[in-house]
Amino acid sequence: MGIEYSIVLEEKEKIDLVIQEIFSVLKSKEMYKDVIMDQKVIVFPYDDFNWNRWCTIENDKGVIYIWTIGNRSVQESKLLEEVCKVIVNLSLQYELEER
């Protein structure tokens, strides 16, 4: 079972820029060095045959949608912190909701 989060930006037109910046920042960090961008979706590889990933971040109808497999709570909280830091550094307002 996965855990889902939504990040709603005040300036929805900047969502693709934000996702690209999130990818760039995460890729530069040792903890997330294996992250890839697959057709505008940030994918965190995971060595599990069924899931093949433990998290994705994407633009879902104007909302930053984050899905995780739900068994990596420490990594999830660090990841959410990193994502929110990127948004703040871009001087954007947002709301984070667990779905």
Side-chain angles (χ1 to χ4, degrees):
M1 182 172 150
I3 298 175
E4 304 170 45
Y5 299 93
S6 296
I7 298 177
V8 180
L9 297 178
E10 235 176 54
E11 299 179 53
K12 292 184 190 296
E13 67 278 1
K14 294 188 177 180
I15 194 166
D16 289 330
L17 168 77
V18 170
I19 290 175
Q20 185 60 50
E21 184 65 19
I22 290 168
F23 175 73
S24 297
V25 168
L26 293 176
K27 188 75 175 172
S28 71
K29 299 191 178 281
E30 181 66 25
M31 184 174 180
Y32 304 111
K33 68 180 181 194
D34 295 331
V35 69
I36 60 171
M37 182 74 84
D38 182 20
Q39 298 182 15
K40 294 188 176 184
V41 176
I42 299 172
V43 177
F44 296 79
Y46 181 58
D47 58 355
D48 180 284
F49 179 75
N50 294 320
W51 295 104
N52 197 29
R53 57 191 66 191
W54 72 269
C55 178
T56 58
I57 300 175
E58 63 188 295
N59 179 346
D60 181 40
K61 300 173 189 145
V63 172
I64 297 174
Y65 173 73
I66 302 172
W67 173 87
T68 72
I69 61 172
N71 66 355
R72 295 179 158 218
S73 59
V74 171
Q75 284 181 321
E76 271 175 32
S77 62
K78 287 181 181 179
L79 175 65
L80 288 172
E81 184 180 310
E82 291 290 344
V83 167
C84 292
K85 245 193 274 185
V86 169
I87 296 169
V88 168
N89 288 341
L90 291 170
S91 300
L92 297 172
Q93 300 293 316
Y94 69 95
E95 286 183 33
L96 173 66
E97 304 169 355
E98 187 173 336
R99 289 185 177 186

